[in-house]
Amino acid sequence: MVAASGGSIEWLISTPTPAGGLFSIDSNSSLRDTGSYIFTVYGANQTHAGYGYNENCVQGTFGIAGYIVNDNVDWGAIGGNGYYAGCSTSNSGGSTGGSSFISGHPGCDAISNESSSFENIIHTGQPIHYSNISFFNTKMIDGQNKIPVPWSHYDEINETGHNGNGFVRITVLDEAIVLTCKPINSLSSINILPHLVFISLSS
């Protein structure tokens, strides 16, 4: 599971970009607060980092936001990190947020265990991570929409996106009932399924 972060802005006329879900939205970036020169910075998705065609755009990659290791460069806005990171900019004001990933979530594109480096990421076209660990009944909410606040267990108390450090809220399922049922009639001559196990969880 990877939760994205939003991109930053330098000039107020540039478009703020929240953290993405399956993808992050595009941004308009200005070189000056007057908006005399604006170009588009594109968001990240499940298979590609945020990018732009302007020379000031610094593309991210899988899990790493774009940056320049050079103290002499005038940074503009830093892209958000995530499954795929957003696009950063130098000498200008806009960036884009990263994308998110949940193993098993519809629309996600998991990587293959044959991926050997950040420069050689191979996608499988399906949502389950190669560890075969996945989640079900998932909900992915991007930074443009309301989410429950981290300090309350009441879903009615919400905030739009989240400022500051990231958070995770875990609900413990404190009861598990295991029922074992044996079939009356075998399903085949070799009895492929000698028994079925059903697990019911409640909170």
Side-chain angles (χ1 to χ4, degrees):
M1 180 185 295
V2 181
S5 61
S8 62
I9 59 173
E10 182 177 30
W11 302 110
L12 293 179
I13 197 169
S14 299
T15 308
T17 53
L22 293 174
F23 60 90
S24 60
I25 63 173
D26 301 338
S27 168
N28 290 322
S29 181
S30 171
L31 289 180
R32 295 287 184 271
D33 55 357
T34 59
S36 57
Y37 179 43
I38 294 179
F39 58 92
T40 301
V41 184
Y42 298 95
N45 57 35
Q46 291 296 296
T47 59
H48 201 282
Y51 64 97
Y53 297 108
N54 187 277
E55 62 182 6
N56 292 289
C57 294
V58 184
Q59 182 173 320
T61 184
F62 180 77
I64 301 177
Y67 64 95
I68 299 174
V69 185
N70 188 339
D71 293 337
N72 296 320
V73 172
D74 178 18
W75 270 108
I78 307 299
N81 218 328
Y83 188 52
Y84 276 92
C87 183
S88 302
T89 56
S90 61
N91 297 296
S92 53
S95 66
T96 52
S99 59
S100 299
F101 174 86
I102 303 174
S103 180
H105 184 78
C108 285
D109 195 333
I111 66 171
S112 165
N113 60 358
E114 297 178 356
S115 302
S116 58
S117 68
F118 288 107
E119 290 73 34
N120 182 38
I121 299 297
I122 301 171
H123 282 273
T124 61
Q126 55 83 36
I128 298 178
H129 187 262
Y130 60 77
S131 65
N132 286 325
I133 296 174
S134 63
F135 299 86
F136 58 92
N137 294 334
T138 55
K139 182 184 293 185
M140 184 183 290
I141 305 174
D142 62 30
Q144 302 179 83
N145 293 288
K146 293 185 180 298
I147 60 173
V149 296
W151 45 264
S152 173
H153 290 285
Y154 298 98
D155 290 341
E156 293 79 10
I157 305 176
N158 297 313
E159 61 181 349
T160 300
H162 179 71
N163 292 323
N165 295 327
F167 74 92
V168 60
R169 193 173 72 175
I170 300 173
T171 301
V172 178
L173 302 176
D174 55 8
E175 294 183 15
I177 302 172
V178 179
L179 303 175
T180 302
C181 303
K182 294 183 178 180
I184 296 175
N185 298 313
S186 63
L187 299 179
S188 70
S189 59
I190 59 173
N191 196 8
I192 296 175
L193 299 176
H195 62 273
L196 301 174
V197 177
F198 298 89
I199 299 177
S200 174
L201 298 176
S202 62
S203 59

